[in-house]
Amino acid sequence: MLFNPPVIALIMVSVVVTLMLLAAAGLAVQILMYWDIGSGSERQLILERRTYLVSTLLTWVFASELISLMLFIYNAESMSGQFVGAMCATGVLNVNAWGWPALFLKLIIFFSGAVWLAINHLDNQGFDFPLVKVKYLLLLIILPLVMVEAFVQLQYFLGLKPNLITSCCGSLFSSEAEGVVGNVSSLLPSTALLLFYGAGLLMMLSGTWFLWRKSGGWVFSSLSVGAFIASLAGMISYVALYVYEHPHHHCPFCVLKPGHDYAGYALYLPLFAATALALATGAVSRWKHVPSLSAVVESNAPRLAWLSMMLYALFFSVATFFVLRSSLVMAPFW
Amino acid sequence: MKAFIRKQGFLIDFTLSSLMRRKGKNIGLLIVYGLIVFLLASVMLFSHALRKEAGLVLQGAPEIVLQRMVAGRHALIPADYLDAIESIRGVAGTEGRLWGYFYDPAVGANYTVMVTPDYELSGNEVVIGAGISRIRGVAEGDFFSLRSDKGKTYVFKVKSLLDSESELVSTDLVLISEKAFRVLTGIPEGRLTDIILKVRNPREVQKVAEKLVARLPDTRPILREEILRTYDSIFAWRQGIVFVLLLGALLAFVIFAWDKASGLSAEEKREIGILKAVGWETGDVLRMKFWEGAIISFSAFTLGYLAAYLHVFYSSAVLFEPVLKGWSVLYPQFDLVPFVDGLQLATLFFFTVFPYTVATIIPIWQASITDPDAIMR
């Protein structure tokens, strides 16, 4: 194992977060079993007080998961100097089989955390806590994810041996590569272009529909997941080429490097925030029929959708800006 | 949104005045917290700057150094190997080097003696590094003696000193003419210490190294990339070791924070009771406590980090120098280049603010759920 402070920090955080969630899950089980808002018993009072603790714990858990996601990527980027063959985060994630799963798990936890926080926020505004069972059930679903993530990440770091030879992004993200990544990289730029802007447009239309007719929140959410995946694919097969000004360089991590003006941050931060907000929109708008929540949903859900669409718009404008600014000219060859 | 921000503003205002009412306790916490940040940040800034420095120094190093091995030991390399190497495609230039170490019993230090075609040195002239000049007390124009392998002492005139900018690499360096070097060391004509190769295309370095080993099986190529990688790992590892040692201190801090947060004074309890009696909800008390933690954390983090910055870059990290830098009699003196990045800050956050917050969540919650009547009765 490599004894880096960021690695120690990441392991420490995953362990502490798992413990916090385990504690919260214990309370969640009690709440699921005995919660009865109509009762005035002592047990109910204790449970109501404990919900505050769980909310606080989980807010911190998901905040730390967000920072640890960023630290994970940043750390992979900075360790690329220590492995033969690695030139950016791709190579470091490739060092063993656990790297990519750890990253994907972190992403999934980030998005589920956003949904949980949105539901929690909504629930706290209803006087009778109508979603209490829903959110604690959701918490029990997230717990195994976090535990698996802690395990996978630990395996990944334990398997980081400096004498391993890894492959750089040039070989993984190339049209000759096999599997999904190879397919994405070898997408024709014209197809990628259509997918990239098409999915974005569909999502924007559904968002507008939602704002206008106050219905179809879940459609907006699902389309935004589609737009998220299409955007990542578009980043690899299309936008990346223009950022690097190189027709064969597809890496989604090298954009984070200072040599490319940290372009990746301007792209990924709005994209991730927008997707999280869109998922939250779907999760919140679903509860319009609950009497104590309908007023809150009425005012909150459109706000979330609006913010999400603004951030998507920002993402697409930044991406378009990078394509237009670039001195790479590909259009005549498609 | 406006109402939300106004509410938080009032909460912060209230929290600040509440913190000021208990100056002693909170300043104590701030000092301990800041000290923890200071320790960790110092280690981090210092080892990061050292890594950076090593990288900068090696930037100008040759891509490949070729050594001859005899029975697994480094041996002198014949000069005619140069011809065999020059014909390898991709090699932009070769140079045979003559260098070695000299132990000086007078000061108990090792010098690096090296032949250089620059400086146009005559047989009895040398150029020395700043470290040697300091330890031997010789300056330009003074005389400087070295003992040969036959036990005979030769006196050299110091032609000039190497400038202190490159001190990290040149502090123990003695530059000398080839003739004088061969007389001093007894290395015969036609033999060199090692050979350096310049390879213009970095992607060909590996291939060139393979060809070298195939063509000259008794040699060992050392790649610059490998040295860089090793430095990177070593400094990161040393930093990690110090961090693990400091984890004990961190744990003590967590217990301290937990204790501070759970041992509410009677006055604080009364305060929370009154707040709840006048209509604050549990959530409001939690929010107030959140701001309290945020204010303390932010102040401690800023103070600690600033102090660490001053410590590392203005006092050369007096506290951690021996552990992180290593030591030697002739150690270079150098100023580190300040370097701060997001990775450092995020890591530091997880080592300080995160444990503090986790330690205080439960005590804060316990304080916030107390019934007003239970306290005021």
Side-chain angles (χ1 to χ4, degrees), chain B residues 121-141:
Chain B
L121 297 167
S122 69
N124 58 356
E125 282 178 331
V126 288
V127 172
I128 60 173
I132 300 177
S133 144
R134 263 198 307 276
I135 201 164
R136 284 282 290 253
V138 286
E140 203 174 313

mmCIF file of all heavy atoms in Angstrom, chain B residues 121-141:
data_model
loop_
_atom_site.group_PDB
_atom_site.id
_atom_site.type_symbol
_atom_site.label_atom_id
_atom_site.label_comp_id
_atom_site.label_asym_id
_atom_site.label_seq_id
_atom_site.Cartn_x
_atom_site.Cartn_y
_atom_site.Cartn_z
ATOM 1 N N LEU B 121 39.025 24.749 -16.348
ATOM 2 C CA LEU B 121 39.912 24.667 -15.187
ATOM 3 C C LEU B 121 41.282 24.163 -15.603
ATOM 4 O O LEU B 121 41.393 23.233 -16.399
ATOM 5 C CB LEU B 121 39.307 23.690 -14.168
ATOM 6 C CG LEU B 121 37.967 24.108 -13.581
ATOM 7 C CD1 LEU B 121 37.334 22.945 -12.843
ATOM 8 C CD2 LEU B 121 38.169 25.286 -12.641
ATOM 9 N N SER B 122 42.320 24.769 -15.042
ATOM 10 C CA SER B 122 43.661 24.227 -15.271
ATOM 11 C C SER B 122 43.904 23.156 -14.214
ATOM 12 O O SER B 122 43.074 22.947 -13.327
ATOM 13 C CB SER B 122 44.694 25.343 -15.174
ATOM 14 O OG SER B 122 44.788 25.772 -13.843
ATOM 15 N N GLY B 123 45.048 22.477 -14.322
ATOM 16 C CA GLY B 123 45.319 21.318 -13.463
ATOM 17 C C GLY B 123 45.272 21.605 -11.982
ATOM 18 O O GLY B 123 44.992 20.713 -11.188
ATOM 19 N N ASN B 124 45.512 22.840 -11.553
ATOM 20 C CA ASN B 124 45.529 23.090 -10.111
ATOM 21 C C ASN B 124 44.435 24.066 -9.663
ATOM 22 O O ASN B 124 44.605 24.813 -8.722
ATOM 23 C CB ASN B 124 46.904 23.600 -9.674
ATOM 24 C CG ASN B 124 47.277 24.872 -10.429
ATOM 25 O OD1 ASN B 124 46.527 25.306 -11.309
ATOM 26 N ND2 ASN B 124 48.398 25.464 -10.073
ATOM 27 N N GLU B 125 43.325 24.030 -10.384
ATOM 28 C CA GLU B 125 42.221 24.904 -10.005
ATOM 29 C C GLU B 125 40.967 24.063 -9.717
ATOM 30 O O GLU B 125 40.757 23.024 -10.351
ATOM 31 C CB GLU B 125 41.892 25.881 -11.138
ATOM 32 C CG GLU B 125 42.858 27.045 -11.219
ATOM 33 C CD GLU B 125 42.521 27.955 -12.396
ATOM 34 O OE1 GLU B 125 41.973 27.462 -13.403
ATOM 35 O OE2 GLU B 125 42.803 29.148 -12.299
ATOM 36 N N VAL B 126 40.142 24.542 -8.779
ATOM 37 C CA VAL B 126 38.852 23.887 -8.533
ATOM 38 C C VAL B 126 37.762 24.942 -8.384
ATOM 39 O O VAL B 126 38.030 26.110 -8.135
ATOM 40 C CB VAL B 126 38.856 23.030 -7.238
ATOM 41 C CG1 VAL B 126 39.674 21.791 -7.406
ATOM 42 C CG2 VAL B 126 39.319 23.852 -6.053
ATOM 43 N N VAL B 127 36.513 24.490 -8.563
ATOM 44 C CA VAL B 127 35.347 25.317 -8.250
ATOM 45 C C VAL B 127 34.581 24.539 -7.188
ATOM 46 O O VAL B 127 34.397 23.327 -7.348
ATOM 47 C CB VAL B 127 34.475 25.524 -9.507
ATOM 48 C CG1 VAL B 127 33.168 26.224 -9.149
ATOM 49 C CG2 VAL B 127 35.232 26.314 -10.550
ATOM 50 N N ILE B 128 34.180 25.216 -6.091
ATOM 51 C CA ILE B 128 33.544 24.451 -5.010
ATOM 52 C C ILE B 128 32.134 24.969 -4.714
ATOM 53 O O ILE B 128 31.795 26.111 -5.014
ATOM 54 C CB ILE B 128 34.384 24.461 -3.717
ATOM 55 C CG1 ILE B 128 34.588 25.889 -3.220
ATOM 56 C CG2 ILE B 128 35.689 23.751 -3.932
ATOM 57 C CD1 ILE B 128 35.267 25.948 -1.876
ATOM 58 N N GLY B 129 31.334 24.088 -4.094
ATOM 59 C CA GLY B 129 29.966 24.436 -3.732
ATOM 60 C C GLY B 129 29.920 25.244 -2.453
ATOM 61 O O GLY B 129 30.885 25.295 -1.687
ATOM 62 N N ALA B 130 28.764 25.847 -2.202
ATOM 63 C CA ALA B 130 28.618 26.766 -1.068
ATOM 64 C C ALA B 130 28.785 26.046 0.270
ATOM 65 O O ALA B 130 29.300 26.620 1.233
ATOM 66 C CB ALA B 130 27.256 27.443 -1.133
ATOM 67 N N GLY B 131 28.349 24.787 0.348
ATOM 68 C CA GLY B 131 28.441 24.046 1.597
ATOM 69 C C GLY B 131 29.891 23.841 2.015
ATOM 70 O O GLY B 131 30.248 24.007 3.184
ATOM 71 N N ILE B 132 30.723 23.478 1.046
ATOM 72 C CA ILE B 132 32.144 23.249 1.349
ATOM 73 C C ILE B 132 32.801 24.551 1.763
ATOM 74 O O ILE B 132 33.589 24.603 2.722
ATOM 75 C CB ILE B 132 32.863 22.674 0.114
ATOM 76 C CG1 ILE B 132 32.208 21.352 -0.279
ATOM 77 C CG2 ILE B 132 34.338 22.479 0.393
ATOM 78 C CD1 ILE B 132 32.791 20.740 -1.518
ATOM 79 N N SER B 133 32.440 25.593 1.065
ATOM 80 C CA SER B 133 33.012 26.898 1.375
ATOM 81 C C SER B 133 32.683 27.280 2.821
ATOM 82 O O SER B 133 33.525 27.811 3.536
ATOM 83 C CB SER B 133 32.476 27.923 0.377
ATOM 84 O OG SER B 133 32.281 29.158 0.976
ATOM 85 N N ARG B 134 31.437 26.968 3.247
ATOM 86 C CA ARG B 134 31.034 27.290 4.619
ATOM 87 C C ARG B 134 31.799 26.445 5.630
ATOM 88 O O ARG B 134 32.355 26.952 6.602
ATOM 89 C CB ARG B 134 29.530 26.999 4.784
ATOM 90 C CG ARG B 134 28.630 28.201 4.623
ATOM 91 C CD ARG B 134 27.260 27.927 5.230
ATOM 92 N NE ARG B 134 26.645 26.706 4.717
ATOM 93 C CZ ARG B 134 25.948 26.637 3.591
ATOM 94 N NH1 ARG B 134 25.770 27.716 2.846
ATOM 95 N NH2 ARG B 134 25.419 25.500 3.195
ATOM 96 N N ILE B 135 31.852 25.126 5.360
ATOM 97 C CA ILE B 135 32.375 24.222 6.387
ATOM 98 C C ILE B 135 33.898 24.308 6.493
ATOM 99 O O ILE B 135 34.479 24.133 7.563
ATOM 100 C CB ILE B 135 31.892 22.776 6.106
ATOM 101 C CG1 ILE B 135 31.969 21.924 7.363
ATOM 102 C CG2 ILE B 135 32.666 22.133 4.990
ATOM 103 C CD1 ILE B 135 31.171 20.649 7.254
ATOM 104 N N ARG B 136 34.565 24.597 5.337
ATOM 105 C CA ARG B 136 36.025 24.676 5.373
ATOM 106 C C ARG B 136 36.519 26.107 5.535
ATOM 107 O O ARG B 136 37.704 26.340 5.738
ATOM 108 C CB ARG B 136 36.599 24.106 4.069
ATOM 109 C CG ARG B 136 36.572 22.599 3.969
ATOM 110 C CD ARG B 136 37.682 21.936 4.773
ATOM 111 N NE ARG B 136 38.981 22.172 4.193
ATOM 112 C CZ ARG B 136 39.692 21.244 3.541
ATOM 113 N NH1 ARG B 136 39.235 20.030 3.439
ATOM 114 N NH2 ARG B 136 40.858 21.533 3.042
ATOM 115 N N GLY B 137 35.576 27.035 5.425
ATOM 116 C CA GLY B 137 35.951 28.441 5.567
ATOM 117 C C GLY B 137 36.872 28.926 4.455
ATOM 118 O O GLY B 137 37.778 29.729 4.691
ATOM 119 N N VAL B 138 36.675 28.428 3.245
ATOM 120 C CA VAL B 138 37.496 28.916 2.128
ATOM 121 C C VAL B 138 36.633 29.743 1.185
ATOM 122 O O VAL B 138 35.460 29.463 1.003
ATOM 123 C CB VAL B 138 38.155 27.758 1.338
ATOM 124 C CG1 VAL B 138 39.288 27.169 2.119
ATOM 125 C CG2 VAL B 138 37.135 26.718 0.961
ATOM 126 N N ALA B 139 37.238 30.747 0.602
ATOM 127 C CA ALA B 139 36.524 31.592 -0.336
ATOM 128 C C ALA B 139 37.282 31.612 -1.655
ATOM 129 O O ALA B 139 38.306 30.931 -1.808
ATOM 130 C CB ALA B 139 36.368 32.991 0.235
ATOM 131 N N GLU B 140 36.784 32.362 -2.584
ATOM 132 C CA GLU B 140 37.418 32.472 -3.892
ATOM 133 C C GLU B 140 38.872 32.946 -3.728
ATOM 134 O O GLU B 140 39.145 33.879 -2.965
ATOM 135 C CB GLU B 140 36.610 33.475 -4.724
ATOM 136 C CG GLU B 140 36.786 33.283 -6.204
ATOM 137 C CD GLU B 140 35.862 34.206 -6.976
ATOM 138 O OE1 GLU B 140 34.669 34.287 -6.635
ATOM 139 O OE2 GLU B 140 36.350 34.854 -7.910
ATOM 140 N N GLY B 141 39.791 32.295 -4.399
ATOM 141 C CA GLY B 141 41.188 32.699 -4.318
ATOM 142 C C GLY B 141 41.945 31.984 -3.212
ATOM 143 O O GLY B 141 43.182 32.006 -3.195
#
